[in-house]
Amino acid sequence: MSLLSLEQISVAFGHNPLLSKISFAAEAGERVAIIGRNGAGKSTLLKIISGEQVPDEGMVRLEGGMTIAQLPQELPEANGKTVREVVSEGAGPAHSLMTRYFKLLEDFENDHSDELGDIQTELDKIQGWDLEQRVNHMIQRLALPADKLMSELSGGWRRRVILAQALISNPDVLLLDEPTNHLDVPTIEWMEQQLQQFRGLILFITHDRRFLEKLANRIIEVDRGNLISFNGTIHEFLVFKEKLLEEESRANALFDKRLAEEEVWIRQGIKARRTRNEGRVRALEALRVERSERIGRQGNAKMAIETKEKSGKLVAEFNQVGHSFEDKVILRPMDFVVNRGDRIGLIGPNGCGKSTFLKILLGDLEPTTGEVRQGTKLNVAYFDQLREQLDPEQTVAENVGEGKDVIEINGQNKHVIGYLGDFLFPPERARTPIKALSGGERNRVLLAKLFTRPANLLIMDEPTNDLDVETLELLEELLMNYDGTLLLVSHDRSFLDNVVTSVIAFEGEGHVKEYVGGYQDWIRQGGKFPTESTSQTDEPKTKAKVKTDTSVAEVKVSKPKSKLSYKMQREFDSMPETIAKLEAEIASLHATTAAADFYAGDAEKVQSTLAKVTEKEQALEATMERWLELEEMQNG
């Protein structure tokens, strides 16, 4: 029996039908990929299924008692809530009831026994008493910093948090809108495994072709208001779609030929008009209407990057450059050179140091150690994954033209509306505010804005987010033919394999190493990510030829200058060993709690282990604070 069915759903904006009387049904166990061009209505379709948007006509049916959870396309707000609070909110009624329950317990002055009894009954019905255990389990599985504030987290970590929030309710239907955006590769691969084991129904939109290949067992394409459904893999669908388009093209050609013949007939002389068949005239009018209502397929974008003048042969050179934030090593001292024409991908977990690396390379951040020498004649263009260069209140044309109607492209003046047509924005769409665009359309605006500026050093931070497959492939081709220097931060494995000629891998604890080739070449050469990323800061781009100095940047305690008592000095000297021991114990406990069958075991043992994790983490925090206190006393 179908978990979900859509019946004759229609949505239109103005005179343009976004969805036109579409119907489909889906069952548990299906992992349905929704594909289509940017702006075709994919996100709108998910909003209708979730109940967030009401269709102009038609009905959505969900089997009785079934629950829906959603992972939205946009990043969650960077507010003052803790990670634990945000994850817990995903449990819906259980979270609300538990919050109310504990608030009443804290009110000692009043008697709330009746309300507390009612809440207990409701929690029993929905099995809400295990909420804390489920939250702890989800936080452990996604390696989330439970007590951190959302405002302290990078985009990638906030994305992890909102994923945990979606999964915490054990939904029957899971809606994912660009779930891999802002996630690092280890988390994407973990997500692939988890979703393959999900027993309910998954409907998802993604730009990540490898994620799509591994997960989808059914494809639904939104194409010019209609749905094309196909049971099978994306590769099988593409073969099927190519044949479908060939048949459509032949049918359109035959239709147009017939229409042309009828138009010739109707324009014949007086004699022909006297004897003409009125039924044939009416048929011609119907043909004209049908032709006028035909929606042609959207063309491909036309992108070009202007390099203007070449940079010097040397783009940047690091000489024993290293960086730390307080006691955390981000980059161990290294030498490397970026030469003109290099196409380098930066890979590593969120928070590993990619953004720091790029800021140092561009001169925006002074390294802790070493020197950076920049090349000559550098014109830098930077693609920002958070699209902060775009004003949401301004129109597409205003953002790209920056107040001018005419812009210079490759030495020629071009009207901004005509230029935006190359990026698939018709005049009416070019006058639309940024806030009304889909995620993919906003990315196309940012690309259009970026390519108005001559650049011989192109730095791109997650440029593939939200792009449809056609635009993504065009961007790949553009970058492969770009004669400037490219530094690319991406978690899109296929995109990296197709574009870059070498990768700089951030492999944990400040270790950075260069590999020839793309992502798969890195895997084949033995590359691997650290088992867990502990930082919460996003990073950007970097270069080639890296030598890593592993002898520096250990977090060591230097010998005292003897401002401590004998007892304090002994305590201070023993702390690195104590810290290392606690970290090892915590890592071992995390490995235990991350096991698939951990929470299925004895309840007392589960609680005991979780309590031990908390105890060890508190001990580590206290030891670190004491160590910093003694170090300050010693050096002060």
Side-chain angles (χ1 to χ4, degrees):
M1 182 178 178
S2 299
L3 281 184
L4 171 74
S5 61
L6 273 64
E7 300 174 5
Q8 298 292 296
I9 296 292
S10 292
V11 176
F13 295 111
H15 296 293
N16 299 318
L18 194 63
L19 302 173
S20 180
K21 296 187 179 298
I22 63 166
S23 300
F24 79 92
E27 302 175 354
E30 287 191 302
R31 300 189 297 272
V32 183
I34 302 173
I35 65 173
R37 301 300 294 263
N38 292 143
K42 303 186 297 295
S43 294
T44 299
L45 182 58
L46 285 191
K47 289 177 182 177
I48 288 171
I49 293 171
S50 69
E52 186 178 342
Q53 183 171 331
V54 178
D56 297 336
E57 58 179 286
M59 184 175 296
V60 178
R61 296 185 186 278
L62 193 67
E63 187 180 338
M66 296 294 102
T67 57
I68 293 179
Q70 186 174 15
L71 181 67
Q73 186 180 98
E74 299 300 327
L75 283 173
E77 186 180 353
N79 54 30
K81 293 181 179 179
T82 67
V83 168
R84 185 179 296 279
E85 287 175 317
V86 175
V87 174
S88 181
E89 286 173 358
H95 168 74
S96 303
L97 289 168
M98 289 293 287
T99 301
R100 178 63 178 164
Y101 182 81
F102 286 115
K103 187 174 181 179
L104 293 176
L105 287 180
E106 291 171 1
D107 184 8
F108 301 110
E109 297 180 0
N110 298 293
D111 180 16
H112 298 288
S113 55
D114 290 342
E115 188 175 354
L116 285 170
D118 293 339
I119 293 174
Q120 288 174 349
T121 301
E122 288 300 314
L123 285 169
D124 287 337
K125 287 180 183 177
I126 61 174
Q127 298 180 328
W129 294 107
D130 67 345
L131 175 60
E132 184 176 359
Q133 182 177 330
R134 286 191 283 132
V135 169
N136 286 335
H137 170 63
M138 193 58 64
I139 285 173
Q140 290 284 344
R141 292 300 301 268
L142 278 176
L144 298 174
D147 299 318
K148 284 274 189 180
L149 301 180
M150 293 292 283
S151 58
E152 299 175 315
L153 301 185
S154 69
W157 282 90
R158 279 186 278 148
R159 194 70 174 171
R160 281 194 182 203
V161 172
I162 206 70
L163 172 63
Q165 186 190 70
L167 294 174
I168 195 70
S169 62
N170 294 321
D172 301 291
V173 180
L174 188 57
L175 308 180
L176 308 173
D177 195 348
E178 298 289 1
T180 63
N181 278 5
H182 311 289
L183 294 184
D184 53 35
V185 174
T187 308
I188 291 172
E189 292 178 341
W190 175 88
M191 185 192 293
E192 287 170 351
Q193 295 171 0
Q194 298 303 308
L195 294 179
Q196 284 169 345
Q197 298 169 16
F198 184 73
R199 295 181 179 179
L201 167 64
I202 301 175
L203 295 103
F204 68 99
I205 301 167
T206 185
H207 70 277
D208 189 320
R209 287 161 293 179
R210 196 154 298 172
F211 184 84
L212 179 60
E213 291 165 8
K214 291 189 174 183
L215 191 61
N217 55 23
R218 180 179 174 187
I219 309 294
I220 287 180
E221 183 180 31
V222 184
D223 183 16
R224 292 165 286 175
N226 298 311
L227 286 191
I228 300 171
S229 178
F230 181 83
N231 290 317
T233 66
I234 183 63
H235 294 298
E236 294 167 337
F237 171 78
L238 292 175
V239 173
F240 164 77
K241 183 62 187 294
E242 187 174 354
K243 292 179 180 177
L244 203 64
L245 289 176
E246 289 174 358
E247 292 173 5
E248 179 183 336
S249 180
R250 281 195 295 270
N252 285 342
L254 290 171
F255 179 94
D256 292 344
K257 182 180 178 182
R258 182 185 169 198
L259 176 61
E261 290 171 348
E262 294 300 292
E263 293 288 3
V264 169
W265 170 78
I266 198 69
R267 288 175 176 80
Q268 287 178 356
I270 298 291
K271 181 180 178 183
R273 286 200 296 272
R274 282 199 204 105
T275 59
R276 67 188 175 191
N277 184 319
E278 291 301 324
R280 191 171 177 182
V281 172
R282 288 193 294 272
L284 172 58
E285 290 173 351
L287 288 174
R288 288 171 174 170
V289 171
E290 185 177 345
R291 180 63 184 87
S292 68
E293 291 179 349
R294 182 195 300 170
I295 303 174
R297 285 182 57 78
Q298 188 179 34
N300 287 325
K302 302 172 185 176
M303 303 181 190
I305 309 174
E306 182 184 359
T307 53
K308 207 160 193 177
E309 63 175 345
K310 291 185 177 181
S311 67
K313 183 176 180 181
L314 175 72
V315 174
E317 182 179 12
F318 278 24
N319 180 23
Q320 285 298 288
V321 169
H323 197 73
S324 301
F325 291 118
E326 297 179 351
D327 63 337
K328 181 170 180 59
V329 180
I330 302 299
L331 299 172
R332 293 177 182 269
M334 64 180 73
D335 299 324
F336 77 88
V337 176
V338 182
N339 289 315
R340 183 179 64 223
D342 284 344
R343 293 203 307 272
I344 303 156
L346 279 72
I347 60 175
N350 290 328
C352 67
K354 300 188 296 295
S355 292
T356 299
F357 190 100
L358 284 178
K359 289 175 184 175
I360 293 172
L361 184 142
L362 294 173
D364 296 334
L365 179 66
E366 278 292 318
T368 306
T369 63
E371 296 178 341
V372 179
R373 182 161 70 100
Q374 289 189 334
T376 57
K377 301 180 182 178
L378 291 179
N379 292 315
V380 181
Y382 179 73
F383 183 98
D384 166 31
Q385 67 163 315
L386 296 182
R387 312 179 187 119
E388 292 178 352
Q389 299 173 47
L390 301 179
D391 184 340
E393 299 300 325
Q394 289 187 336
T395 66
V396 174
E398 288 169 341
N399 270 278
V400 173
E402 297 179 341
K404 297 178 291 186
D405 291 333
V406 178
I407 55 180
E408 185 178 331
I409 303 294
N410 291 324
Q412 296 182 338
N413 288 334
K414 194 166 187 178
H415 196 283
V416 66
I417 298 296
Y419 173 68
L420 286 168
D422 292 341
F423 288 80
L424 305 182
F425 290 103
E428 65 275 9
R429 203 62 175 163
R431 297 184 178 93
T432 301
I434 293 294
K435 63 184 180 182
L437 302 183
S438 69
E441 288 176 308
R442 293 183 196 186
N443 257 22
R444 268 195 275 125
V445 175
L446 190 52
L447 287 171
K449 185 180 178 73
L450 185 73
F451 296 162
T452 59
R453 303 164 185 169
N456 51 37
L457 174 57
L458 188 57
I459 297 175
M460 308 193 82
D461 191 355
E462 291 293 347
T464 65
N465 284 353
D466 306 319
L467 292 181
D468 57 49
V469 173
E470 289 89 346
T471 307
L472 195 152
E473 290 177 347
L474 183 66
L475 179 60
E476 280 180 354
E477 183 179 352
L478 181 72
L479 294 179
M480 285 189 285
N481 296 322
Y482 177 55
D483 61 2
T485 305
L486 172 68
L487 296 175
L488 171 67
V489 179
S490 181
H491 301 305
D492 188 321
R493 294 153 290 179
S494 294
F495 193 75
L496 285 166
D497 285 337
N498 293 338
V499 171
V500 304
T501 55
S502 64
V503 296
I504 298 298
F506 291 72
E507 298 182 331
E509 299 181 351
H511 293 286
V512 180
K513 189 176 179 182
E514 180 192 10
Y515 294 81
V516 175
Y519 177 80
Q520 288 301 323
D521 297 298
W522 172 65
I523 295 292
R524 281 193 290 269
Q525 294 172 67
K528 61 181 180 179
F529 289 120
T531 54
E532 183 176 316
S533 175
T534 55
S535 171
Q536 278 81 46
T537 47
D538 264 338
E539 320 299 343
K541 339 179 162 182
T542 192
K543 161 358 346 355
K545 314 225 165 141
V546 177
K547 298 179 201 167
T548 306
D549 181 352
T550 56
S551 66
V552 189
E554 294 281 328
V555 183
K556 289 185 179 179
V557 181
S558 54
K559 276 289 175 189
K561 299 177 185 171
S562 242
K563 293 192 178 178
L564 300 176
S565 67
Y566 174 74
K567 184 177 179 181
M568 285 181 173
Q569 187 61 59
R570 291 195 62 183
E571 180 187 3
F572 185 64
D573 290 342
S574 69
M575 279 189 167
E577 184 179 346
T578 304
I579 290 170
K581 184 179 178 182
L582 285 168
E583 287 177 337
E585 291 174 347
I586 291 170
S588 176
L589 288 168
H590 281 173
T592 300
T593 59
D597 58 350
F598 172 71
Y599 288 93
D602 181 72
E604 287 188 15
K605 187 175 180 181
V606 169
Q607 292 299 327
S608 172
T609 304
L610 292 175
K612 193 174 291 185
V613 171
T614 303
E615 177 190 336
K616 295 294 181 183
E617 287 176 341
Q618 290 174 346
L620 177 61
E621 184 177 352
T623 305
M624 291 292 289
E625 288 178 0
R626 177 61 173 164
W627 178 56
L628 292 172
E629 178 187 347
L630 292 176
E631 184 180 46
E632 189 174 327
M633 291 172 60
Q634 171 188 273
N635 297 326

